[in-house]
Amino acid sequence: MVDLGGIKVFALGASREYGERVSRHLEIALSPIEERPFEDGEHKSRPLVSVRNHDVYAIQSLYSDKAESVNDKLCKLLFLIGALKDASAKRVTAVVPYLGYARKDQKTQLHDPVTTKYVAAMFEAVGTDMLMTIDVHNLAAMQNAFRKPTEHLVALDLMAETLVPMLRGQDVAIVSPDIGGAKRASRLRTILAKALNRDPTTAFVEKQRGGGVVTGGMLVGDVKGRISVIIDDLIGSGTTVRLAADACRRAGSQRILVAATHGLFIGPATTVIEDPAIEKVLVTDTVPPFRLPKALADKKLMVLDSARLFADAIYRNHANH
């Protein structure tokens, strides 16, 4: 049994409830913190307990909500990490369930920023020893951007636990909504094949993106008469999911389920989720589904607990440190 006495876990703002669940899984108390705003919009955060020579984890999920922008949350997390390092923490890990700016990981037009790289540099500048996150858009790009160690978690096993009872005894197709997610779909197919004792098929949907507009919709693979499970890393506006669901429906899919780690549900996503062709949508709790009407969320969403994945990762990292 690993002694967790050397661990301190902090959580900022809207991520405090998430941090409390991580701490409960670890069977330790969430450490207290002062978050103080100033009249001109500046702020400070500081630990209210000693962190000297401790293995410290600072939790903040980087999405915008009604109270704070992703930039506010990023800035507050960076400043807290700096304060923890100045307070002589032995090691500080940034625990970022949803890593904002991770999608802007390459130049797609002239003079484009590579924002993921700049965010990584800011984490390094305040002394972050490790970054822990789950299902980033492009793992290789994230790992190349961060020169410090990263711990990348995957939600596929968590999703499979929920999907297996819904799929047992059925013919299944695992569908990637674009070619870039084909490996993710293939990994889920492998997990489900073992759990269901039958081989799902795989398929992907042809998609193009230009000027912020998503087009396409040709499906490659066999989904006819099957339950289609559309798997992606996140749902933003829902356009990609809509194209994939339409393609599966036209190809004769019997039922359609959607699974994504991060549910942002921006703008027209509500209309997409309301589509009666989509039976259920599985997301994790890295981003609360506050943008969806409650009645729709209660009817269509299945929100999975990812806090235990982070608790397990924190336990392993502390044990091996």
Side-chain angles (χ1 to χ4, degrees), residues 6 18 31 65 67 88 117 121 131 145 178 184 192 196 209 213 221 234 239 278 290 317 321:
Y18 191 95
S31 294
D65 56 30
S88 300
K117 182 174 70 173
L131 181 131
D178 55 43
R184 182 184 299 110
L192 290 176
L196 297 170
R209 185 187 297 273
V213 177
L234 64 87
T239 304
I278 297 175
F290 61 91
N317 273 276
H321 182 54

Side-chain angles (χ1 to χ4, degrees), residues 90-318:
K90 184 178 181 180
R91 182 176 70 155
V92 178
T93 298
V95 179
V96 189
Y98 177 67
L99 181 61
Y101 291 113
R103 285 181 283 177
K104 191 53 187 157
D105 55 29
Q106 60 181 307
K107 292 179 181 288
T108 55
Q109 55 187 328
L110 187 64
H111 307 313
D112 240 6
V114 185
T115 317
T116 303
K117 182 174 70 173
Y118 313 150
V119 170
M122 287 190 280
F123 275 108
E124 291 166 10
V126 295
T128 309
D129 295 290
M130 174 181 282
L131 181 131
M132 185 180 293
T133 188
I134 185 168
D135 284 335
V136 293
H137 186 64
N138 184 331
L139 177 57
M142 188 272 285
Q143 290 175 332
N144 286 332
F146 284 81
R147 293 176 294 178
K148 292 289 186 175
T150 57
E151 177 82 6
H152 181 257
L153 310 182
V154 177
L156 291 180
D157 284 323
L158 189 64
M159 292 174 179
E161 288 177 11
T162 302
L163 286 169
V164 165
M166 303 168 70
L167 302 176
R168 188 168 281 120
Q170 306 294 317
D171 291 328
V172 179
I174 310 301
V175 181
S176 172
D178 55 43
I179 188 63
K183 288 185 179 179
R184 182 184 299 110
S186 179
R187 289 195 294 268
L188 180 59
R189 188 206 68 79
T190 300
I191 295 169
L192 290 176
K194 184 176 180 180
L196 297 170
N197 198 29
R198 60 197 301 163
D199 280 335
T201 62
T202 55
F204 70 88
V205 179
E206 165 264 344
K207 184 185 81 170
Q208 300 91 35
R209 185 187 297 273
V213 177
V214 177
T215 58
M218 184 179 73
L219 185 139
V220 178
D222 179 21
V223 302
K224 187 173 182 180
R226 295 175 178 269
I227 300 176
S228 289
V229 179
I230 300 170
I231 177 72
D232 209 351
D233 60 317
L234 64 87
I235 299 172
S237 67
T239 304
T240 298
V241 166
R242 177 182 56 78
L243 285 172
D246 287 347
C248 291
R249 180 169 43 196
R250 290 194 304 269
S253 186
Q254 184 184 74
R255 294 161 55 198
I256 298 172
L257 306 174
V258 176
T261 303
H262 312 290
L264 300 179
F265 302 120
I266 301 164
T270 294
T271 303
V272 174
I273 303 305
E274 285 175 336
D275 186 341
I278 297 175
E279 183 177 315
K280 289 289 182 180
V281 178
L282 281 66
V283 292
T284 74
D285 51 358
T286 59
V287 180
F290 61 91
R291 293 188 180 98
L292 291 180
K294 186 178 185 303
L296 178 61
D298 290 344
K299 178 181 179 182
K300 285 288 190 82
L301 283 195
M302 301 180 73
V303 181
L304 312 182
D305 176 18
S306 64
R308 64 183 173 96
L309 300 182
F310 282 95
D312 290 345
I314 289 170
Y315 183 91
R316 291 193 306 270
N317 273 276
H318 182 70

Side-chain angles (χ1 to χ4, degrees), residues 44-57:
K44 78 168 186 178
S45 301
R46 69 185 179 101
L48 295 177
V49 293
S50 174
V51 295
R52 182 178 295 275
N53 294 324
H54 279 75
D55 186 18
V56 180
Y57 297 83

